[in-house]
Amino acid sequence: MGITLGLIGYGEVGGIFGRGLLGKEGIDAIWAWDLRFASDPAARAAAEADGVRVADGMRGLCAVADLAISAVTAANTLDVAQEAAKHARVGLRFLDLNSASPGTKQTAAVGLEAAGADYVEAGVMTSVPPYGIRVPMLLGGAQAQPLAETLNGWGMDARPVSETLGVASAIKMSRSIMIKGLEALVIEAYTNARRYGVEAHVLPTLKETFPQIDWDRQGAYFFSRVVQHGKRRAEEMREAANTVQESGFEPTMTEAIARKHDWVAQQARAGLFAGLDGSSPWEAYADRLIGALEK
């Protein structure tokens, strides 16, 4: 007899996991709950079209799920875990994929474990879309090892790193500071160089220093990802700032990274980048920012 999987959050990541795991041996059914389902019939219909069953709320999802996977935004990590704890059954396994600090993950675990659930944190180590369910993730918690075996049996790539909660998230968030920091630096440096008309001089020097990187292509990718996911990345960086603060250091750089991502997200919401996508060159994104400044 297989298990029933419950997905909390059916956005980009939840949808990828739902479609990728549907029909896997050992999974009897997949249920999903997303706050959008209550107000957006199209979102609900899209999940049903994927073959996923839609729960009527957190209570309904926890009533049927043997394994619940939380795939929401960083800012909602704790709220979702605490809401799930109100309805969790004894023996429920709760896998928290969200990009949150070790302290947030540890706090999220308290209510669920008090309700008799097994809480496992995950550090998702790179962007999900290119990998799908094979995205590398690190697991932490007392049940990390057996859960990793289950996930890997479905074709996933999960590796337990510690029975102590917080270790996997510390690895993830430390890496995120560097990756999201590079994105923020590229956006600021490239746009600044183009504003002065010196990009043809700046980029070749980057290629000389780091020849293994295609700086034009990488720059375009960074711009497009921040434009598309800047709000989510800013939330993640605020959790990364919490991670730094929890370790005893001042999150000077991390807070600045969060502000830069948030600023780009604001421009995107205002429609500044309409018509641009992942195939657009970085210059097109920079020109939109410069044009807005000149106005």
Side-chain angles (χ1 to χ4, degrees), residues 40-116:
D40 186 352
R44 183 186 186 102
E48 292 173 335
D50 286 340
V52 171
R53 302 179 188 180
V54 174
D56 59 2
M58 185 72 80
R59 180 190 297 274
L61 185 136
C62 289
V64 297
D66 301 301
L67 168 63
I69 299 179
S70 179
V72 297
T73 61
N76 290 312
T77 299
L78 186 56
D79 287 344
V80 163
Q82 291 177 335
E83 179 65 19
K86 297 176 185 177
H87 310 294
R89 295 177 292 115
V90 173
L92 171 71
R93 291 186 292 176
F94 188 96
L95 177 61
D96 195 332
L97 298 183
N98 305 309
S99 298
S101 75
T104 297
K105 291 287 183 80
Q106 290 162 353
T107 303
V110 172
L112 282 158
E113 292 183 341

Side-chain angles (χ1 to χ4, degrees), residues 162-212:
S162 178
E163 293 185 358
T164 301
L165 285 175
V167 174
S169 292
I171 297 169
K172 156 70 177 179
M173 300 309 281
S174 297
R175 179 187 183 276
S176 289
I177 294 169
M178 180 61 71
I179 299 301
K180 273 64 175 184
L182 284 173
E183 292 174 345
L185 284 171
V186 162
I187 288 171
E188 187 159 307
Y190 281 33
T191 304
N192 186 67
R194 190 155 176 83
R195 171 77 165 159
Y196 281 102
V198 298
E199 67 272 19
H201 298 277
V202 173
L203 265 67
T205 68
L206 297 178
K207 293 175 183 177
E208 288 175 8
T209 306
F210 301 102
Q212 69 275 26

Side-chain angles (χ1 to χ4, degrees), residues 17 67-70 93-98 105 118-125 133 135-154 156-172:
F17 274 61
L67 168 63
I69 299 179
S70 179
R93 291 186 292 176
F94 188 96
L95 177 61
D96 195 332
L97 298 183
N98 305 309
K105 291 287 183 80
D118 294 318
Y119 180 95
V120 177
E121 64 165 340
V124 180
M125 298 306 292
I133 65 169
V135 64
M137 63 176 70
L138 306 179
L139 304 188
Q143 296 300 313
Q145 177 67 49
L147 183 55
E149 293 173 3
T150 298
L151 300 179
N152 291 335
W154 297 335
M156 300 175 72
D157 183 5
R159 180 164 66 90
V161 292
S162 178
E163 293 185 358
T164 301
L165 285 175
V167 174
S169 292
I171 297 169
K172 156 70 177 179

Side-chain angles (χ1 to χ4, degrees), residues 11-41:
E12 181 182 52
V13 173
I16 288 171
F17 274 61
R19 292 184 293 272
L21 292 172
L22 198 66
K24 291 288 186 181
E25 185 176 354
I27 299 178
D28 288 341
I30 298 179
W31 289 75
W33 168 244
D34 191 299
L35 284 176
R36 295 178 305 147
F37 292 166
S39 58
D40 186 352

